[in-house]
Amino acid sequence: MSSTSADGGTDSNDAPDSAAVLQSMTLLATLSTAEEVREAVAERRAGRDPSAQAPSGLATARLAQARETLLELLMQLVLGRVPFERQEEDKLAHAVRHFDLLMKLRRAERLVKAMHQDLLSLYPDVSESLVEEARHVLHEIRSLLDTEGDTEEDEVPALPDVLERGLSFAVWTRHEV
């Protein structure tokens, strides 16, 4: 039996309204995209071309910040894969967890792309193999995102493998830069 609160909402013991949750996820995705556009416009207005070589000091600082954010994000994804002792997850909870995974993978993709560009700016002061590893990590994340839900593809890397490679890349970057 569901009770209604004074504001017309449902009691906290009831399951969340799936339409409201899906609307919230849509809003979050829209805001995330808007923030990406805002950042790109701000960079352009400040006279910085993301495809251009950055000065060494700027590239190093951006790389350090992106690396730490990437490590944190990938660890969140690793911890999200830890099995919980609970009953079967309902469809709405599964959709929310899957949405969170995709949003974090998209963020990781943007971070690795920026890190690759900064590593190119620092080359030859960083090893060619590290620059190449950034490209491989980016390719694996994109492959995973592009084929999300397509289980017939044999070339798709497994999420745990992508996470492990991404973490290794971030640690390698910490040691070399």
Side-chain angles (χ1 to χ4, degrees):
M1 181 172 190
S2 169
S3 63
T4 305
S5 65
D7 65 351
T10 58
D11 199 341
S12 62
N13 293 333
D14 293 337
D17 178 32
S18 61
V21 171
L22 295 175
Q23 185 178 24
S24 297
M25 290 183 345
T26 302
L27 180 60
L28 183 59
T30 302
L31 290 173
S32 175
T33 302
E35 176 61 13
E36 285 179 49
V37 171
R38 187 204 61 77
E39 287 175 3
V41 168
E43 288 288 310
R44 294 281 184 181
R45 286 185 179 159
R48 292 186 285 271
D49 180 1
S51 63
Q53 294 290 317
S56 179
L58 177 62
T60 301
R62 288 192 314 204
L63 195 56
Q65 182 179 10
R67 178 191 65 233
E68 292 308 312
T69 304
L70 180 64
L71 277 170
E72 182 180 312
L73 189 63
L74 293 175
M75 285 307 298
Q76 289 173 13
L77 288 170
V78 168
L79 293 173
R81 307 233 353 117
V82 174
F84 293 99
E85 288 185 25
R86 58 184 147 85
Q87 293 180 349
E88 195 66 30
E89 188 174 58
D90 68 4
K91 289 181 182 181
L92 183 60
H94 178 74
V96 170
R97 287 174 52 83
H98 187 73
F99 175 78
D100 182 57
L101 170 73
L102 292 176
M103 292 291 290
K104 287 177 179 171
L105 283 173
R106 291 275 180 220
R107 178 89 196 275
E109 175 189 31
R110 292 189 303 273
L111 288 166
V112 173
K113 181 180 177 185
M115 290 173 73
H116 181 252
Q117 186 64 39
D118 287 331
L119 287 168
L120 287 172
S121 293
L122 295 174
Y123 183 80
D125 294 333
V126 295
S127 68
E128 182 179 341
S129 53
L130 179 59
V131 176
E132 245 340 86
E133 183 63 10
R135 192 179 66 75
H136 287 294
V137 170
L138 183 59
H139 174 73
E140 284 192 3
I141 292 171
R142 286 180 173 165
S143 294
L144 189 61
L145 286 167
D146 289 344
T147 55
E148 184 64 32
D150 182 10
T151 57
E152 296 176 19
E153 185 65 46
D154 291 334
E155 299 298 318
V156 179
L159 179 61
D161 296 338
V162 173
L163 296 177
E164 182 179 340
R165 190 165 194 172
L167 288 167
S168 296
F169 163 68
V171 170
W172 183 1
T173 303
R174 177 185 285 161
H175 289 291
E176 195 165 322
V177 178

